[in-house]
Amino acid sequence: MNITENRNDNTLTLLIEGRIDTATAPKLEQVMQTALDGVTELFLDANADLMEIFEVTGFTEILTFA
Amino acid sequence: MCMKELTINARTEELDAVLQFVDVQLEAMDCPPKVQMQIDLAVEEIFVNIANYAYRPGTGTATIRVDAEGSSVSITFIDSGIPYDPLKKDDPDISLPAEQRQLGGLGILLVKKTMDDVRYDYVNACKVLTIVKVIETGKQKGLT
């Protein structure tokens, strides 16, 4: 999995290429913990299947999706 | 009917080998990519749980059996670890706001929501967990 960060003022875009799974999730978690300082708007550019996982687990009620 | 079986050390490092084994069978069935993603996610959840918990603090093996029958596939996970039925636990309440959410339970919830059938059994001192998914274009269970 590759993560590319693109920061523009308070907006951060994370381009995620490859699979997020048990082995790669810690890497994404580490990026999230360090890169979100001062960020008020986060964009995740990833496979559309990720959206469906957010729906099943109810995170579409917690987060705002555009 | 076509059945293939893999016995492997139940360690998270073996996840790629398990997924590769399953994906070869799914590709032979012309499984659509979205359904393959759902099955891969379920396989990961179940195998990683076996690797992390079944033999703790020791180690052991898991057998993964893939049965392609007609338009559906059954994947069975067998281990001789600590008896535990993951289907007995209540699903987490996904309507709760973030600060009221408990950790855990979402993986098995995804398995239950995306697979057409999930069964647990304890036979001859072995845990047997089976997931079934119908693979048929245009008639997928979907996630919504």
Side-chain angles (χ1 to χ4, degrees), chain B residues 106-142:
Chain B
L106 292 176
I108 200 71
L109 175 69
L110 279 163
V111 173
K112 287 197 255 183
K113 291 272 187 184
T114 59
M115 295 297 105
D116 293 299
D117 192 18
V118 189
R119 299 188 296 266
Y120 171 84
D121 211 347
Y122 192 68
V123 180
N124 296 329
C126 288
K127 301 209 298 291
V128 181
L129 187 68
T130 302
I131 56 175
V132 180
K133 183 72 177 175
V134 173
I135 299 179
E136 212 172 329
T137 306
K139 296 181 185 178
Q140 308 310 328
K141 181 172 180 173

Side-chain angles (χ1 to χ4, degrees), chain A residues 15-66:
Chain A
L15 170 62
I16 302 168
E17 296 167 290
R19 196 173 72 201
I20 304 171
D21 60 24
T22 298
T24 60
K27 181 178 172 184
L28 178 58
E29 185 179 4
Q30 192 176 32
V31 167
M32 291 281 195
Q33 284 174 345
T34 56
L36 290 181
D37 203 26
V39 171
T40 56
E41 199 170 45
L42 172 68
F43 289 95
L44 292 180
D45 189 347
N47 190 299
D49 293 331
L50 191 62
M51 183 65 197
E52 293 172 320
I53 292 172
F54 284 132
E55 287 169 353
V56 171
T57 53
F59 280 91
T60 47
E61 303 300 315
I62 296 173
L63 306 170
T64 305
F65 288 82

